[in-house]
mmCIF file of all heavy atoms in Angstrom:
data_model
loop_
_atom_site.group_PDB
_atom_site.id
_atom_site.type_symbol
_atom_site.label_atom_id
_atom_site.label_comp_id
_atom_site.label_asym_id
_atom_site.label_seq_id
_atom_site.Cartn_x
_atom_site.Cartn_y
_atom_site.Cartn_z
ATOM 1 N N MET A 1 11.959 0.141 -7.920
ATOM 2 C CA MET A 1 10.939 1.114 -7.298
ATOM 3 C C MET A 1 11.156 2.488 -8.023
ATOM 4 O O MET A 1 12.283 2.979 -8.205
ATOM 5 C CB MET A 1 11.303 1.154 -5.845
ATOM 6 C CG MET A 1 10.317 2.093 -4.972
ATOM 7 S SD MET A 1 10.557 2.227 -3.396
ATOM 8 C CE MET A 1 10.697 0.487 -2.779
ATOM 9 N N VAL A 9 6.493 7.677 -0.633
ATOM 10 C CA VAL A 9 6.249 6.670 0.144
ATOM 11 C C VAL A 9 7.222 6.628 1.315
ATOM 12 O O VAL A 9 6.908 6.330 2.413
ATOM 13 C CB VAL A 9 6.236 5.305 -0.483
ATOM 14 C CG1 VAL A 9 6.220 4.110 0.478
ATOM 15 C CG2 VAL A 9 5.095 5.120 -1.589
ATOM 16 N N ALA A 11 8.515 9.269 2.677
ATOM 17 C CA ALA A 11 8.000 10.320 3.549
ATOM 18 C C ALA A 11 6.917 9.757 4.270
ATOM 19 O O ALA A 11 6.882 10.053 5.529
ATOM 20 C CB ALA A 11 7.590 11.458 2.847
ATOM 21 N N GLU A 16 6.285 11.943 7.442
ATOM 22 C CA GLU A 16 6.357 13.385 6.981
ATOM 23 C C GLU A 16 5.195 13.570 5.896
ATOM 24 O O GLU A 16 4.755 12.650 5.279
ATOM 25 C CB GLU A 16 7.764 13.543 6.289
ATOM 26 C CG GLU A 16 8.900 13.362 7.152
ATOM 27 C CD GLU A 16 10.238 13.190 6.442
ATOM 28 O OE1 GLU A 16 10.242 13.386 5.249
ATOM 29 O OE2 GLU A 16 11.286 13.209 7.120
ATOM 30 N N SER A 25 1.608 12.016 0.866
ATOM 31 C CA SER A 25 1.621 11.492 2.270
ATOM 32 C C SER A 25 1.171 12.694 3.101
ATOM 33 O O SER A 25 1.740 13.887 3.106
ATOM 34 C CB SER A 25 3.054 11.169 2.595
ATOM 35 O OG SER A 25 3.179 11.018 3.985
ATOM 36 N N ASN A 27 -0.430 13.605 7.158
ATOM 37 C CA ASN A 27 -0.873 13.166 8.530
ATOM 38 C C ASN A 27 -1.018 11.594 8.647
ATOM 39 O O ASN A 27 -2.006 11.070 9.182
ATOM 40 C CB ASN A 27 -2.134 13.873 8.849
ATOM 41 C CG ASN A 27 -2.074 15.274 8.686
ATOM 42 O OD1 ASN A 27 -1.090 16.000 9.003
ATOM 43 N ND2 ASN A 27 -3.149 15.976 8.269
ATOM 44 N N THR A 29 -1.256 9.239 6.466
ATOM 45 C CA THR A 29 -2.083 8.600 5.528
ATOM 46 C C THR A 29 -1.441 8.725 4.130
ATOM 47 O O THR A 29 -0.952 9.865 3.699
ATOM 48 C CB THR A 29 -3.556 9.059 5.427
ATOM 49 O OG1 THR A 29 -4.076 8.764 6.725
ATOM 50 C CG2 THR A 29 -4.453 8.288 4.344
ATOM 51 N N PHE A 31 -2.043 8.847 0.057
ATOM 52 C CA PHE A 31 -3.126 8.885 -0.832
ATOM 53 C C PHE A 31 -2.713 8.723 -2.272
ATOM 54 O O PHE A 31 -1.638 9.151 -2.562
ATOM 55 C CB PHE A 31 -3.722 10.342 -0.761
ATOM 56 C CG PHE A 31 -4.395 10.623 0.541
ATOM 57 C CD1 PHE A 31 -3.703 11.159 1.509
ATOM 58 C CD2 PHE A 31 -5.835 10.379 0.750
ATOM 59 C CE1 PHE A 31 -4.190 11.619 2.798
ATOM 60 C CE2 PHE A 31 -6.329 10.711 1.906
ATOM 61 C CZ PHE A 31 -5.587 11.315 2.950
ATOM 62 N N HIS A 33 -4.340 9.472 -6.036
ATOM 63 C CA HIS A 33 -5.441 10.080 -6.663
ATOM 64 C C HIS A 33 -6.542 10.517 -5.679
ATOM 65 O O HIS A 33 -7.713 10.525 -6.013
ATOM 66 C CB HIS A 33 -6.034 9.264 -7.819
ATOM 67 C CG HIS A 33 -5.204 8.973 -8.949
ATOM 68 N ND1 HIS A 33 -4.712 9.947 -9.882
ATOM 69 C CD2 HIS A 33 -4.468 7.790 -9.259
ATOM 70 C CE1 HIS A 33 -4.078 9.382 -10.739
ATOM 71 N NE2 HIS A 33 -3.828 8.123 -10.521
ATOM 72 N N PRO A 36 -7.289 7.252 0.029
ATOM 73 C CA PRO A 36 -6.386 6.694 0.924
ATOM 74 C C PRO A 36 -6.079 5.237 0.698
ATOM 75 O O PRO A 36 -6.948 4.440 0.571
ATOM 76 C CB PRO A 36 -7.181 6.826 2.322
ATOM 77 C CG PRO A 36 -8.571 6.779 2.000
ATOM 78 C CD PRO A 36 -8.670 7.505 0.511
ATOM 79 N N GLY A 41 -1.301 3.517 11.937
ATOM 80 C CA GLY A 41 -2.052 3.753 13.020
ATOM 81 C C GLY A 41 -1.244 3.847 14.369
ATOM 82 O O GLY A 41 -0.041 4.030 14.405
ATOM 83 N N LYS A 45 1.095 0.586 13.746
ATOM 84 C CA LYS A 45 0.484 -0.497 13.005
ATOM 85 C C LYS A 45 0.198 0.093 11.466
ATOM 86 O O LYS A 45 -0.103 1.291 11.327
ATOM 87 C CB LYS A 45 -0.892 -0.777 13.666
ATOM 88 C CG LYS A 45 -0.836 -1.480 14.930
ATOM 89 C CD LYS A 45 -2.051 -1.959 15.589
ATOM 90 C CE LYS A 45 -1.926 -2.640 16.709
ATOM 91 N NZ LYS A 45 -3.177 -3.012 17.385
ATOM 92 N N ILE A 48 -3.420 -1.215 4.908
ATOM 93 C CA ILE A 48 -3.324 -0.982 3.501
ATOM 94 C C ILE A 48 -4.780 -1.228 2.937
ATOM 95 O O ILE A 48 -5.494 -2.105 3.498
ATOM 96 C CB ILE A 48 -2.286 -1.806 2.748
ATOM 97 C CG1 ILE A 48 -2.551 -3.294 2.858
ATOM 98 C CG2 ILE A 48 -0.965 -1.328 3.279
ATOM 99 C CD1 ILE A 48 -1.605 -4.170 1.933
ATOM 100 N N SER A 49 -5.116 -0.612 1.823
ATOM 101 C CA SER A 49 -6.386 -0.765 1.100
ATOM 102 C C SER A 49 -6.119 -0.394 -0.356
ATOM 103 O O SER A 49 -5.187 0.425 -0.707
ATOM 104 C CB SER A 49 -7.415 0.063 1.704
ATOM 105 O OG SER A 49 -8.470 0.187 0.910
ATOM 106 N N ALA A 51 -8.618 0.806 -2.102
ATOM 107 C CA ALA A 51 -9.593 1.780 -2.145
ATOM 108 C C ALA A 51 -10.535 1.497 -3.205
ATOM 109 O O ALA A 51 -11.145 2.381 -3.891
ATOM 110 C CB ALA A 51 -9.003 3.247 -2.274
ATOM 111 N N ARG A 56 -2.402 -1.387 -11.514
ATOM 112 C CA ARG A 56 -1.058 -1.666 -11.354
ATOM 113 C C ARG A 56 -0.343 -0.579 -10.591
ATOM 114 O O ARG A 56 0.617 -0.822 -9.881
ATOM 115 C CB ARG A 56 -0.395 -1.882 -12.788
ATOM 116 C CG ARG A 56 -0.854 -3.096 -13.470
ATOM 117 C CD ARG A 56 -0.129 -3.344 -14.719
ATOM 118 N NE ARG A 56 1.190 -3.512 -14.603
ATOM 119 C CZ ARG A 56 1.732 -4.857 -14.486
ATOM 120 N NH1 ARG A 56 1.008 -5.877 -14.544
ATOM 121 N NH2 ARG A 56 2.995 -5.001 -14.328
ATOM 122 N N THR A 57 -0.805 0.641 -10.724
ATOM 123 C CA THR A 57 -0.228 1.782 -9.863
ATOM 124 C C THR A 57 -0.514 1.641 -8.462
ATOM 125 O O THR A 57 0.445 1.853 -7.658
ATOM 126 C CB THR A 57 -0.707 3.135 -10.480
ATOM 127 O OG1 THR A 57 -0.449 3.333 -11.801
ATOM 128 C CG2 THR A 57 -0.016 4.201 -9.719
ATOM 129 N N ARG A 74 3.125 -9.019 0.450
ATOM 130 C CA ARG A 74 3.180 -8.523 -0.875
ATOM 131 C C ARG A 74 1.800 -8.385 -1.522
ATOM 132 O O ARG A 74 0.910 -9.390 -1.127
ATOM 133 C CB ARG A 74 4.048 -9.308 -1.829
ATOM 134 C CG ARG A 74 5.509 -9.288 -1.539
ATOM 135 C CD ARG A 74 6.095 -7.713 -1.737
ATOM 136 N NE ARG A 74 7.350 -7.517 -1.270
ATOM 137 C CZ ARG A 74 7.571 -6.923 -0.034
ATOM 138 N NH1 ARG A 74 6.665 -6.286 0.633
ATOM 139 N NH2 ARG A 74 8.922 -6.674 0.317
ATOM 140 N N ASP A 85 -0.582 -11.467 0.024
ATOM 141 C CA ASP A 85 0.107 -12.663 0.431
ATOM 142 C C ASP A 85 1.071 -12.319 1.476
ATOM 143 O O ASP A 85 2.040 -11.628 1.297
ATOM 144 C CB ASP A 85 0.799 -13.410 -0.728
ATOM 145 C CG ASP A 85 1.411 -14.723 -0.421
ATOM 146 O OD1 ASP A 85 1.299 -15.120 0.703
ATOM 147 O OD2 ASP A 85 2.045 -15.206 -1.322
ATOM 148 N N TRP A 98 -9.989 -2.057 4.771
ATOM 149 C CA TRP A 98 -8.460 -2.006 5.272
ATOM 150 C C TRP A 98 -8.084 -3.299 5.859
ATOM 151 O O TRP A 98 -8.729 -3.925 6.555
ATOM 152 C CB TRP A 98 -8.470 -0.850 6.382
ATOM 153 C CG TRP A 98 -8.724 0.489 5.885
ATOM 154 C CD1 TRP A 98 -9.882 1.171 5.785
ATOM 155 C CD2 TRP A 98 -7.708 1.330 5.229
ATOM 156 N NE1 TRP A 98 -9.758 2.555 5.218
ATOM 157 C CE2 TRP A 98 -8.392 2.637 4.830
ATOM 158 C CE3 TRP A 98 -6.393 1.147 4.964
ATOM 159 C CZ2 TRP A 98 -7.660 3.633 4.221
ATOM 160 C CZ3 TRP A 98 -5.776 2.199 4.398
ATOM 161 C CH2 TRP A 98 -6.364 3.449 4.080
#
Side-chain angles (χ1 to χ4, degrees):
M1 185 177 306
V9 174
E16 300 171 358
S25 170
N27 301 327
T29 302
F31 297 89
H33 293 291
K45 289 184 179 176
I48 62 172
S49 170
R56 293 185 64 94
T57 304
R74 291 294 168 255
D85 183 358
W98 287 99

